[in-house]
Amino acid sequence: MPRDFADAAGRRSDLVIGREESFGAAREQLTRGGSVLLHGPAGIGKSTVLRTLAAEYAGTAHTVLRCSATESESHLPFLALADLLGPVLDEVSPALPAAQRTALESALTGRGESTLQRDGLALRLAVLSALRALAAAGPVLVVADDLQWLDPASSELLGFAARRLGDTPVRLLCAVRTEGPEPQDAAYDRHLRAAPPDTRAVRLGPLTRAQVSTLLDGRGYSGLHRSTVREIHRTSGGNPLFALELGRALAESPAAPRPGEPLPVPTSLRALVLSRLEMLSDEARRTLLVASAGARPTPALLHAAGRENAEAETEQAAALGLLAPDPEGPTVRFAHPLISAALYAEAPAPERRAAHAALSTAASDPIERARHLALATTGTDPRVAARLAQAAALARDRGAPSVAASLGLLAAHHTPADGTPGPDERRLTAAEDAITAGDQDLARDVAREVLTRATAPGERVRAWMAVIEAAGQAIGEVDAVFPQALADAGDDPRLLALVHYQLAWRSLVVQGDFAQGRQEAAHAARLAARAGDRRTELLALAFQAQSETLMGHPDAPATIQRALQEPQDPRVACHHNGAGSSRFRWLVMSDRLAEARTTVTGLLREVRRRGMAESEVHYLRFLAETELHSGHCGRALELSRESLTLARDAGIGEGAGAMQAALAEAAGGDPGRALELAREAVRRAEGDGDAVYLSRALAALGHAHLAAGDAAAAVRVLRRVRELEAGAGITDPARGRWQGDLAEALVRTGEPAEAMDVVVVTRAHALRLGRQSVLAVLDRSEALVRAARGEHRAAVARLTSARERLAGLGFGLEEARAVFALAELHAERPGRPPESASYDEAARLFRRCRALPWLRRVEAAVAARAAWAPPVAAAEPDVLAGLAAMERQVASLVMEGATNREIAARLFVSVKTVEATLTRVYRKLGIRSRVDIVRLAAGRRPD
């Protein structure tokens, strides 16, 4: 690798992305005193990871020995050994026997011309003795990079010592370049055999598309279209070094590549991957150029494109390592995508056009033929533009909107200025396809380019709509667009309908005003109906229906039926803002979970078929929500993680995805991770100015706090949710279902009066709307309030009823929570041991739901009660009778001698909650400290 190229890759070594799993494995091994061998292909980030780990663990070692070999120096004997032991030679020499000392000094200094043949055993033992001598003073860390370039003598000596170190506190942290998987890679196998027996090999694989995007942003290559980032990821194969070099080439390029063209490949990468091309014949090179221009080249396609000796020429390329066998069929597959990109970039423009011209007749697929025709043509050509527009429509129908967008931009490029349709009209169609594909950046830039020259009101309003759509949940950032769009729309009802539909979203997202959003949507629907624009009418009706559903408006079912009436627009019907989505939301809120699951599954299947990326993200999240309500926590966790991964990859709906993932983690995964995700969701909603998802994100955060045992934090967050939803006019408690969590948290923090107020107010809305599952959860909450007041029998009755109703409705997790609350209630009764049968039933239900965090809480509660012993006779009933349930629990545990931290762990609350509860206990009992509680337990009055 050229030195300047390697240095460029080494900048910002502190930035390590996408290596959490690798780091975790290496850290675990190093922490327990083992050795680590990092391996992977060139540029994958081994040196970066090595440096970061070495810096992290250098402080734990008494001595750190380092060497970093290079290819140009690999022929010099003992060079790596000199790097490692040269700096400590004076320190270790006195500890070596004379023969070993002489051999080692000779090897390191070059005096005496020591060789492995002449001083073999003495030199091998000298290296081993030197390491042992250093380890006698404290742990030793040996850091060796690029083992593949180690001179053979140093490599043999280091391996000899490593295999014989035994329990000596010497750790090796090494990196070696390997190309293939472990079992087939000879270099990997050779270096692993030369490492200590307990060495852990950690392979660094390619980065994901989202990680490549983060890497590029971190190095200053931000602002790239998502389609460009996808192409960088594809071309680099996820290799971080290759991705950075491609990003740098794009940043330095005066013009971006035309749609459909490969990325510019810098000279540094071309030199790295194309050195073997010089060994190919000219004809073989031309054959590979045709293959690099094709989408899925096969020998048959190459023959059809005029390459008569394709088989022999591709065999020659495969022998040089440029091509690799394709296990899926006869496709001509390059060993790495970068080889194809570099080969194409290296070819002169006329040769590229000739390759595309050949493929424009040889390819069997009409979309491929049209793309090659465009890339073989220079200048405008209405015939070529029409072919491309037809191919874009075909790609759209096939569910490939990203391909349609690329072909549409090519069509615009070849459309004459006076063509019909014109080039800007075709650009706007491409922008709309880009939005469907989830490439909002491309859509926004294309629309803004059109706005710089368009004068026709229709084109200008259409471009403004693309700008607004591309903003997503951050619609507040394009607030200045609306007055301009209204001015361009004039009095045209079709154009006004488009603008008022987006104004409905603005009212909802930016202002949090559901009533205003509903009015704007209804107005947009009327305008669209007058103009005969059924598509916009359906979208507006769906928005109106969803607003009414969330508001608890009585017209919601009727509006949904209007939105579902024929004629339908197929793309609107399955869109995440369409009537199907509104009906799904209404079904979930009406406790019709089976119908909701069927509905959203069908919608997900259709948007996947159509390639509607943003809708797929939303429907995966909706399905996760349905499964979570049904008590299928494991399935909900899988779906929410998949949705969030897609959202991060496309850069759309990340806040909503984090919110749903937080709820799923709290129910079936990691409560700590749930808190992280919920906080992220809140940050994103606040950053976007998104009033719609802010309250839902906060509700998820409150739930995560409650699941983590911090009731006080849950109260603070959920009180804010209550204020936000009241201000927004949201009255349907089935929207966020946070009210039961708030009531429970209030009981746990000793505020049963406010908890009862939440129950009473919410119950009135739930009764009006017929939200049976919400009513059952409220009964569970009221039972907790009654238990806190000492009304044990009434509390048991409420919980038993709530459990039966939740089971009947299919809300498995809420049913299990009711059973758990019942077990806790039995366990809290003074003067009697807990009833283990209730805990057994709760554990069974949580296990059925795969609600692992809740199951752990049951197990902890059982363990805490196992050592149950009644408090001092009569002390608790007489002295603590006037306390609330939480206060009585805390005081009883203090009487048993538990610390605040132990109490918090046993009751699943925070230490701060325990402290606040004790303050109330002191006030109610007229005492001042924990000591006074103990005195009360002993039957003595405090001093």
Side-chain angles (χ1 to χ4, degrees):
M1 185 185 301
R3 173 56 59 187
D4 59 343
F5 186 40
D7 290 344
R11 290 195 298 269
R12 291 286 308 279
S13 62
D14 61 308
L15 186 61
V16 181
I17 292 168
R19 300 302 184 202
E20 293 80 6
E21 186 176 344
S22 301
F23 261 97
R27 281 191 180 110
E28 179 186 352
Q29 179 75 353
L30 291 169
T31 300
R32 67 180 187 83
S35 296
V36 171
L37 177 66
L38 304 169
H39 65 107
I44 203 68
K46 301 181 299 297
S47 296
T48 301
V49 173
L50 183 88
R51 285 192 295 268
T52 305
L53 285 168
E56 187 172 317
Y57 283 90
T60 67
H62 182 270
T63 305
V64 180
L65 308 177
R66 301 176 187 270
C67 73
S68 183
T70 62
E71 184 177 11
S72 61
E73 300 167 341
S74 60
H75 66 286
L76 299 174
F78 305 120
L79 184 62
L81 189 66
D83 287 342
L84 288 170
L85 296 180
V88 295
L89 181 59
D90 291 342
E91 180 182 347
V92 300
S93 287
L96 303 181
Q100 294 180 21
R101 181 168 61 251
T102 301
L104 183 60
E105 290 176 349
S106 177
L108 298 186
T109 63
R111 295 191 298 271
E113 298 182 356
S114 177
T115 66
L116 276 176
Q117 287 76 19
R118 196 182 76 181
D119 300 320
L121 182 58
L123 194 50
R124 289 175 175 85
L125 292 175
V127 174
L128 179 59
S129 299
L131 291 174
R132 285 173 174 166
L134 291 170
V140 176
L141 178 65
V142 178
V143 182
D145 199 2
D146 283 319
L147 287 184
Q148 73 277 2
W149 304 132
L150 239 64
D151 62 275
S154 296
S155 180
E156 204 281 338
L157 290 168
L158 190 60
F160 176 87
R163 292 190 297 271
R164 290 163 175 80
L165 284 169
D167 296 332
T168 306
V170 176
R171 291 175 293 178
L172 271 67
L173 174 58
C174 305
V176 63
R177 180 186 301 180
T178 55
E179 297 300 333
E182 293 91 337
Q184 289 80 34
D185 198 294
Y188 162 84
D189 191 49
R190 182 176 71 255
H191 288 291
L192 188 59
R193 284 199 306 270
D198 68 340
T199 297
R200 180 166 186 171
V202 177
R203 180 172 178 80
L204 301 185
L207 300 181
T208 66
R209 190 187 306 167
Q211 290 164 351
V212 165
S213 178
T214 302
L215 178 67
L216 292 167
D217 286 343
R219 297 296 177 91
Y221 306 131
S222 55
L224 298 172
H225 292 161
R226 296 197 179 276
S227 56
T228 303
V229 174
R230 282 197 294 269
E231 187 61 21
I232 288 175
H233 178 259
R234 187 196 67 79
T235 303
S236 68
N239 185 298
L241 177 62
F242 298 170
L244 288 172
E245 287 296 298
L246 291 168
R248 181 170 63 81
L250 277 170
E252 295 174 354
S253 177
R258 289 168 56 192
E261 283 188 340
L263 299 173
V265 180
T267 304
S268 56
L269 288 184
R270 295 187 205 180
L272 183 67
V273 300
L274 295 182
S275 57
R276 286 165 286 184
L277 275 183
E278 298 174 357
M279 304 173 66
L280 284 175
S281 66
D282 290 343
E283 289 301 311
R285 188 166 181 158
R286 291 191 186 97
T287 295
L288 288 193
L289 175 60
V290 175
S292 72
R296 276 185 69 83
T298 62
L301 178 65
L302 294 176
H303 273 293
R307 308 311 303 167
E308 297 178 356
N309 298 315
E311 284 88 350
E313 289 159 355
T314 54
E315 285 177 10
Q316 181 186 359
L320 293 172
L322 294 166
L323 299 178
D326 190 338
E328 298 180 3
T331 305
V332 176
R333 187 167 70 89
F334 286 89
H336 192 282
L338 188 61
I339 297 175
S340 172
L343 179 66
Y344 186 92
E346 188 80 2
E351 289 188 19
R352 293 189 212 170
R353 287 196 294 271
H356 286 296
L359 289 167
S360 69
T361 58
S364 59
D365 185 83
I367 292 176
E368 272 299 291
R369 288 200 300 270
R371 185 179 76 87
H372 289 302
L373 179 62
L375 295 174
T377 305
T378 58
T380 60
D381 185 325
R383 181 182 63 86
V384 172
R387 284 269 304 274
L388 286 163
Q390 292 168 1
L394 180 58
R396 196 177 301 120
D397 291 341
R398 287 183 181 178
S402 61
V403 175
S406 175
L407 292 168
L409 291 175
L410 281 172
H413 177 78
H414 291 287
T415 300
D418 58 352
T420 303
D424 281 343
E425 186 173 347
R426 281 179 166 153
R427 287 188 180 93
L428 290 171
T429 300
E432 290 160 357
D433 284 329
I435 288 172
T436 301
D439 195 347
Q440 280 81 356
D441 297 338
L442 177 61
R444 180 194 61 242
D445 289 354
V446 169
R448 289 202 177 276
E449 179 195 348
V450 170
L451 286 165
T452 61
R453 55 179 173 264
T455 56
E459 285 188 353
R460 290 189 62 79
V461 171
R462 193 175 168 194
W464 288 127
M465 295 305 100
V467 171
I468 294 169
E469 287 276 0
Q473 296 300 117
I475 193 171
E477 295 179 1
V478 293
D479 234 11
V481 164
F482 289 98
Q484 300 175 70
L486 283 170
D488 285 331
D491 57 1
D492 186 326
R494 182 180 64 85
L495 300 181
L496 285 170
L498 292 171
V499 181
H500 280 282
Y501 171 67
Q502 294 297 346
L503 281 169
W505 278 106
R506 179 186 178 278
S507 298
L508 193 65
V509 174
V510 178
Q511 298 174 303
D513 191 334
F514 279 70
Q516 178 65 28
R518 174 179 176 268
Q519 291 175 13
E520 289 284 4
H523 184 45
R526 289 191 295 269
L527 287 167
R530 198 167 83 206
D533 181 358
R534 183 60 174 164
R535 180 181 185 278
T536 304
E537 181 187 9
L538 289 169
L539 284 169
L541 285 171
F543 182 99
Q544 182 183 344
Q546 186 142 315
S547 298
E548 290 172 351
T549 299
L550 297 175
M551 293 169 65
H553 197 286
D555 290 349
T559 307
I560 291 174
Q561 288 306 312
R562 285 178 61 200
L564 290 170
Q565 287 175 357
E566 296 293 340
Q568 284 289 318
D569 182 313
R571 299 186 73 82
V572 173
C574 66
H575 194 275
H576 62 276
N577 290 329
S581 176
S582 298
R583 182 170 183 272
F584 161 79
R585 178 58 54 202
W586 182 80
L587 287 169
V588 169
M589 295 173 69
S590 301
D591 302 330
R592 294 162 67 173
L593 296 181
E595 289 179 71
R597 183 184 295 105
T598 301
T599 298
V600 74
T601 301
L603 290 167
L604 178 60
R605 186 184 308 114
E606 181 63 15
V607 298
R608 279 176 166 166
R609 188 184 72 80
R610 293 179 177 274
M612 300 167 69
E614 185 173 6
S615 293
E616 181 180 359
V617 168
H618 284 281
Y619 286 140
L620 279 169
R621 193 178 75 250
F622 291 173
L623 185 54
E625 178 186 352
T626 308
E627 298 294 0
L628 193 57
H629 288 321
S630 302
H632 305 149
C633 299
R635 177 64 174 149
L637 193 58
E638 293 170 3
L639 289 165
S640 63
R641 286 173 175 171
E642 182 182 357
S643 174
L644 183 56
T645 298
L646 287 177
R648 294 200 195 287
D649 193 35
I652 50 180
E654 293 181 73
M659 174 208 70
Q660 187 59 48
L663 293 171
E665 290 284 353
D670 179 0
R673 177 67 176 148
L675 283 169
E676 293 175 12
L677 288 165
R679 290 185 180 113
E680 177 191 342
V682 172
R683 285 195 304 272
R684 289 187 180 276
E686 289 176 336
D688 291 341
D690 185 350
V692 173
Y693 271 107
L694 178 57
S695 63
R696 295 203 64 187
L698 287 167
L701 179 58
H703 179 77
H705 277 305
L706 186 62
D710 193 344
V715 166
R716 287 194 300 273
V717 172
L718 294 175
R719 278 174 175 161
R720 187 181 172 195
V721 176
R722 194 181 189 190
E723 293 171 3
L724 285 172
E725 294 206 349
I730 300 171
T731 60
D732 194 330
R735 186 220 180 202
R737 300 177 183 268
W738 49 266
Q739 296 85 353
D741 285 343
L742 175 56
E744 180 176 337
L746 286 166
V747 172
R748 288 186 175 276
T749 56
E751 300 174 80
E754 185 181 346
M756 196 63 199
D757 178 66
V758 171
V759 170
V760 170
V761 171
T762 307
R763 182 177 281 144
H765 292 301
L767 284 168
R768 174 176 60 85
L769 297 166
R771 304 302 191 220
Q772 295 302 317
S773 64
V774 174
L775 289 168
V777 169
L778 291 173
D779 278 357
R780 186 185 71 205
S781 302
E782 183 179 344
L784 299 177
V785 174
R786 290 183 177 276
R789 293 173 175 171
E791 302 171 21
H792 183 270
R793 183 171 298 177
V796 169
R798 287 276 182 184
L799 282 174
T800 303
S801 171
R803 182 261 171 97
E804 293 171 354
R805 288 151 57 205
L806 288 166
L809 292 167
F811 281 73
L813 182 58
E814 297 294 353
E815 176 197 358
R817 287 181 65 179
V819 173
F820 185 33
L822 195 60
E824 292 282 85
L825 186 59
H826 287 314
E828 290 170 5
R829 292 186 66 183
R832 56 178 290 179
E835 298 181 11
S836 61
S838 297
Y839 280 122
D840 291 344
E841 176 67 0
R844 183 186 69 81
L845 292 175
F846 284 134
R847 197 174 291 112
R848 184 183 69 183
C849 294
R850 287 182 59 189
L852 301 182
W854 286 98
L855 183 60
R856 286 193 289 269
R857 290 182 64 168
V858 174
E859 292 169 347
V862 170
R865 306 294 179 186
W868 182 89
V872 176
E876 184 179 337
D878 291 343
V879 178
L880 308 182
L883 301 180
M886 172 64 74
E887 295 164 351
R888 191 167 58 247
Q889 282 182 285
V890 171
S892 297
L893 290 169
V894 170
M895 290 176 173
E896 295 175 18
T899 65
N900 286 3
R901 187 171 298 279
E902 290 169 343
I903 295 170
R906 289 173 68 175
L907 298 182
F908 297 99
V909 297
S910 68
V911 174
K912 288 185 177 179
T913 298
V914 174
E915 292 169 349
T917 304
L918 278 174
T919 300
R920 291 193 300 273
V921 169
Y922 299 157
R923 185 174 64 249
K924 289 183 179 182
L925 297 182
I927 59 179
R928 291 173 296 182
S929 69
R930 296 168 59 92
V931 175
D932 291 340
I933 293 180
V934 175
R935 287 175 175 147
L936 286 175
R940 305 195 309 270
R941 292 304 304 169
D943 296 337

